[in-house]
Amino acid sequence: MASITIRGVKKNYAKTQVVHGVDLDFASGEFVVILGPSGCGKSTLLRMIAGLEEISDGTIAIDGMVVNKLEPRERGCAMVFQNYALYPHMSVAQNIGYSLKVAGVPAAERTQRIQAVARVLELEHLLDRKPMALSGGQRQRVAMGRAMIREPKVFLFDEPLSNLDAKLRVQMRSEIRKLHRRLNATSVFVTHDQVEAMTLADRLVVMNGGRVEQVGTPAEVYSRPASRFVATFVGAPAMNMLEGEVTLDGISLLGGSRKLNVSRTGLAVGAKVAVGIRPESVRMVAPGTPGALAATVDLIEELGAGRVIYVDLDGAPFSVVTSETVHPEPGSTIGLQFAEADLHFFSSETGGRLDVFKVSVPEPALQG
Amino acid sequence: MEKRVTFGRWTIGILFAVPQLLLIFTFFYWPAGQAVYWSLTLQQPWGGGNIWVGLDNFRSILSNADYWNSITASLVFAAISTGLAMVIALVLAALTDRQLAGSRLYRVVLIWPYGIAAPALAMAFRFILAPEAGFMAVVNKFWPGFWDPGLDGADAMASVIIAFSWKYVGYNFIFFLAAFQAIPRSLIEAAAMDGSGVIRRFRDIQFPLITPTIFFLLVINITESFQDSFGIVDIMTAGGPANATNLMVYKIYSDGFKGLDYSGAAAQSIILMLLIIALTIVQFRFIERRVHYR
Ligand SMILES: Nc1ncnc2c1ncn2[C@@H]1O[C@H](COP(=O)(O)OP(=O)(O)O)[C@@H](O)[C@H]1O
Ligand SMILES: [Mg+2]
């Protein structure tokens, strides 16, 4: 178990900077997920912790000791790679036991520890196989075993599940979670998959363009996204965004004559804002219902338990998740309703969250 | 569905193969057959056809001490030059693989020696290794008589080995570098995370994974050291001094075309061919087992 402290860490490749100064603290035994779109610098950050990538600026400390100049092997981290990176010429047992062999652990103890890890991961019957002869899920397990056997202070995962099929991914997800509960080592897990991130994380770090956008529990990130980017990146389907301008008595939406009746927001009149509303916070009502917003149905996606209804709101795409059995025809008009408390406000210029005054009465907020 | 051209009648398939078969027959089987025929006959000095002598040519060659000397020289040459060319190329490729900047340039520069014709290369090395001028002259000044390939058989052998190895270092390097670069970076990184240092990673991960290339180059280098050495020997030492560098392939030429013993030369080339075949079989039987194909 170990805490990780990251201070002002930057990464440059030649002239381009890909990580622009990151400050993070991971507590001992915590399961942290770094979430972000492809190319945002997640792997680079993880590899700097691992020691596989030089740290251009700033410091990384593990358990209070700055590790910037330490070799990977001196840092006490184990890593699971996206493509598993199993040694193709070694058997499963040799793959799992390689670090012990390098460390000079006697053969008898090695065998015993390999057996123990194999038992946990249900790999016992595969120990003599070569990686070539394994399925994707089994390879994944071997990669986990190779990381586990060293009993590392820190586990690093670089998108370890993204090469698996959907069903296996869900299964491995819960297994990783179980393993963490059992080993309780500090874990940093990188992914671009927000469902994976939400389900695994004790704490979520959302990254974009080499910067940290938000740090918080999955629930915090979901319910109070710190920026427009986080709001649209976390949650599926993505949060709806309506562009508008603050007026004396509400927000007038761009692209139409509609207006959102919002009680005192504390926002400066004339400010350009984006108003966010989660698809699952929108209620579908009969067209013409007082206070409802009229929209045209574009497309309906069946989810089984419910459906996503994509509508057109004055040319802006908008989606609604509903579990009701109503089945509007594409092309028909429906009414949309939502509570003021469910609205999120972001600055159109900076994308940052705008904190509004607490709204006392959750009344119907819309006017057609 | 399988996409494959099939011929209704096998004759059409044969027709397509004919040009290739014709080439192979004309330039390989026919001359080889001729050589076998000559090796079993004696060509009369003043014409008048060949006399069938059975295995007499082989008997007389194999009872000749000069010939055994030539076999020994060839084996020594093959072992040392293959070893040198492969080890040097392996080290260069391993170093280049770690530091990739400019590796495209190395690749071009190092393949050039292989493109140089053996006689031209031998000529260059004759000057480079001349005892009376250049670097070796300086060495000779400090250790008089240290280097004289014209008189000392071992020095002459060293000269041809150096020239031959120089040519094949470039060739081997290209293959080794390609093999190293085909190893996924993440394997090396995984080994580094497992606590393995540079040398240990080379031994445990990189080396085993390039064994197919090593094996391929071993077969090629050994075969070529028996055959491609001709031009170098001819220009640099002409087999001398005192037959010290009279490799099998060179002796075939000197006995056949200078000594005009066609039948003996033919028998020698059959023996050389059998030797190369035997060596290749041995390599496939005993070394290939240790190769990890991925
Ligand atoms: N070796 C490299 N040289 C130059 N740029 C790189 C290198 N590795 C990564 N990058 C760039 O750094 C950015 C972040 O990469 P990475 O950390 O791999 O992103 P991801 O979040 O998808 O894991 C990307 O824009 C990528 O193009
Ligand atoms: Mg990545």
Side-chain angles (χ1 to χ4, degrees):
Chain A
M1 287 219 269
S3 63
I4 302 176
T5 314
I6 300 173
R7 286 287 169 269
V9 163
K10 295 179 182 163
K11 177 68 191 179
N12 304 310
Y13 285 115
K15 285 202 186 64
T16 48
Q17 192 169 64
V18 298
V19 175
H20 309 282
V22 166
D23 296 283
L24 289 169
D25 287 282
F26 304 149
S28 194
E30 202 177 17
F31 199 112
V32 178
V33 176
I34 302 180
L35 171 67
S38 180
C40 73
K42 316 177 287 292
S43 297
T44 307
L45 183 60
L46 193 76
R47 292 163 57 82
M48 284 193 284
I49 300 173
L52 296 173
E53 210 77 69
E54 189 107 21
I55 301 166
S56 306
D57 197 13
T59 58
I60 294 179
I62 297 177
D63 256 349
M65 183 171 68
V66 173
V67 296
N68 284 39
K69 289 279 167 282
L70 295 189
E71 290 285 313
R73 60 180 148 166
E74 297 163 315
R75 300 191 182 193
C77 305
M79 185 154 165
V80 181
F81 293 81
Q82 175 170 1
N83 60 2
Y84 317 132
L86 300 181
Y87 312 125
H89 56 296
M90 297 187 194
S91 69
V92 167
Q94 287 169 326
N95 263 282
I96 295 177
Y98 182 63
S99 61
L100 299 185
K101 193 172 170 195
V102 172
V105 174
E109 186 191 338
R110 220 156 64 206
T111 314
Q112 182 224 325
R113 279 171 71 179
I114 292 171
Q115 288 289 346
V117 166
R119 207 168 310 127
V120 173
L121 294 170
E122 292 166 28
L123 287 169
E124 285 159 301
H125 60 297
L126 300 173
L127 283 174
D128 294 329
R129 293 233 193 130
K130 291 277 173 68
M132 269 262 286
L134 300 179
S135 70
Q138 292 167 337
R139 284 180 205 183
Q140 174 60 51
R141 262 177 238 269
V142 177
M144 298 277 302
R146 194 170 59 176
M148 270 168 62
I149 197 160
R150 297 171 46 208
E151 295 163 7
K153 291 191 286 184
V154 177
F155 270 110
L156 305 172
F157 300 86
D158 192 355
E159 312 217 14
L161 306 183
S162 52
N163 287 355
L164 301 179
D165 61 60
K167 198 172 156 209
L168 215 49
R169 206 179 304 167
V170 174
Q171 188 190 334
M172 281 311 293
R173 212 154 71 196
S174 60
E175 280 186 33
I176 288 178
R177 206 49 244 209
K178 262 188 263 169
L179 263 173
H180 177 250
R181 213 167 300 140
R182 188 190 169 113
L183 305 171
N184 218 23
T186 313
S187 303
V188 185
F189 187 108
V190 158
T191 182
H192 66 267
D193 179 338
Q194 47 120 358
V195 178
E196 207 167 283
M198 299 291 273
T199 49
L200 278 172
D202 288 332
R203 226 145 48 96
L204 202 54
V205 175
V206 186
M207 277 186 76
N208 184 32
R211 288 192 173 80
V212 172
E213 294 263 338
Q214 186 170 8
V215 183
T217 64
E220 280 166 12
V221 171
Y222 180 82
S223 58
R224 277 183 61 81
S227 67
R228 188 179 172 153
F229 170 80
V230 176
T232 47
F233 193 72
V234 174
M239 183 188 280
N240 297 299
M241 282 292 167
L242 301 170
E243 303 288 338
E245 196 178 310
V246 179
T247 61
L248 272 173
D249 58 345
I251 290 168
S252 81
L253 297 183
L254 302 183
S257 53
R258 299 165 196 265
K259 214 164 137 214
L260 288 179
N261 273 347
V262 182
S263 50
R264 297 185 312 136
T265 59
L267 301 174
V269 170
K272 300 247 189 304
V273 295
V275 183
I277 175 85
R278 295 232 175 252
E280 48 276 33
S281 306
V282 182
R283 256 174 306 135
M284 218 168 48
V285 293
T289 307
L293 217 56
T296 316
V297 176
D298 269 343
L299 179 77
I300 298 168
E301 237 174 49
E302 192 62 50
L303 297 179
R307 49 195 64 78
V308 188
I309 298 168
Y310 294 95
V311 301
D312 181 306
L313 203 70
D314 287 337
F318 198 94
S319 56
V320 182
V321 172
T322 175
S323 54
E324 288 167 40
T325 45
V326 286
H327 218 289
E329 285 297 309
S332 64
T333 303
I334 58 169
L336 306 173
Q337 227 175 25
F338 35 82
E340 189 174 329
D342 290 331
L343 298 181
H344 304 260
F345 298 92
F346 304 97
S347 157
S348 286
E349 278 120 52
T350 63
R353 182 179 186 87
L354 298 171
D355 271 307
V356 300
F357 291 122
K358 224 183 178 87
V359 184
S360 47
V361 201
E363 58 191 64
L366 271 170
Q367 204 170 54
Chain B
M1 207 183 75
E2 206 175 352
K3 269 195 180 166
R4 193 160 67 178
V5 181
T6 48
F7 298 109
R9 290 185 15 229
W10 64 274
T11 42
I12 300 180
I14 291 289
L15 274 177
F16 273 112
V18 158
Q20 182 69 17
L21 290 175
L22 218 58
L23 280 175
I24 292 176
F25 179 79
T26 316
F27 293 105
F28 182 73
Y29 287 107
W30 187 46
Q34 281 287 315
V36 171
Y37 173 67
W38 285 335
S39 71
L40 297 174
T41 60
L42 192 62
Q43 193 163 48
Q44 305 197 58
W46 315 112
N50 292 8
I51 307 166
W52 183 264
V53 295
L55 294 175
D56 276 1
N57 288 323
F58 291 94
R59 272 187 213 109
S60 82
I61 290 166
L62 291 175
S63 61
N64 185 340
D66 267 0
Y67 192 65
W68 285 103
N69 172 46
S70 173
I71 293 181
T72 313
S74 289
L75 290 175
V76 167
F77 176 83
I80 300 182
S81 55
T82 297
L84 264 186
M86 288 187 58
V87 169
I88 294 174
L90 185 68
V91 170
L92 286 178
L95 294 177
T96 309
D97 178 54
R98 285 179 56 76
Q99 198 61 58
L100 270 178
S103 75
R104 289 241 297 272
L105 182 72
Y106 295 157
R107 241 186 275 193
V108 174
V109 169
L110 280 163
I111 195 70
W112 279 345
Y114 186 67
I116 297 174
L121 178 144
M123 208 60 189
F125 269 97
R126 220 172 121 166
F127 287 116
I128 293 167
L129 297 176
E132 59 279 341
F135 175 69
M136 291 320 289
V138 177
V139 176
N140 272 339
K141 207 164 172 171
F142 286 99
W143 289 282
F146 174 80
W147 181 257
D148 193 354
L151 290 177
D152 187 319
D155 292 356
M157 182 58 103
S159 304
V160 288
I161 286 174
I162 290 170
F164 182 87
S165 307
W166 185 77
K167 178 173 177 177
Y168 276 85
V169 162
Y171 179 82
N172 296 344
F173 173 84
I174 302 300
F175 282 91
F176 279 137
L177 184 60
F180 278 128
Q181 297 197 344
I183 299 174
R185 201 89 230 143
S186 58
L187 283 188
I188 312 291
E189 292 175 347
M193 295 300 295
D194 273 345
S196 194
V198 174
I199 304 286
R200 185 93 202 232
R201 289 201 297 265
F202 185 81
R203 210 186 72 197
D204 291 348
I205 311 293
Q206 288 167 300
F207 190 83
L209 291 180
I210 64 164
T211 44
T213 304
I214 294 176
F215 178 67
F216 162 77
L217 287 177
L218 190 68
V219 173
I220 296 286
N221 276 244
I222 288 182
T223 308
E224 290 298 310
S225 66
F226 279 102
Q227 296 182 344
D228 196 30
S229 45
F230 172 80
I232 291 172
V233 170
D234 190 38
I235 300 286
M236 289 184 77
T237 64
N243 287 338
T245 57
N246 203 1
L247 306 184
M248 290 165 82
V249 67
Y250 192 72
K251 191 167 162 58
I252 291 170
Y253 159 79
S254 54
D255 286 3
F257 294 96
K258 288 193 184 147
L260 297 181
D261 176 12
Y262 293 126
S263 310
Q268 286 182 35
S269 53
I270 299 301
I271 293 174
L272 178 58
M273 186 171 84
L274 292 177
L275 181 67
I276 293 176
I277 291 174
L279 278 173
T280 310
I281 289 173
V282 166
Q283 294 174 79
F284 271 94
R285 279 287 307 257
F286 297 103
I287 302 179
E288 201 198 15
R289 278 196 209 151
R290 317 195 52 173
V291 169
H292 303 278
Y293 291 106
R294 271 180 284 174

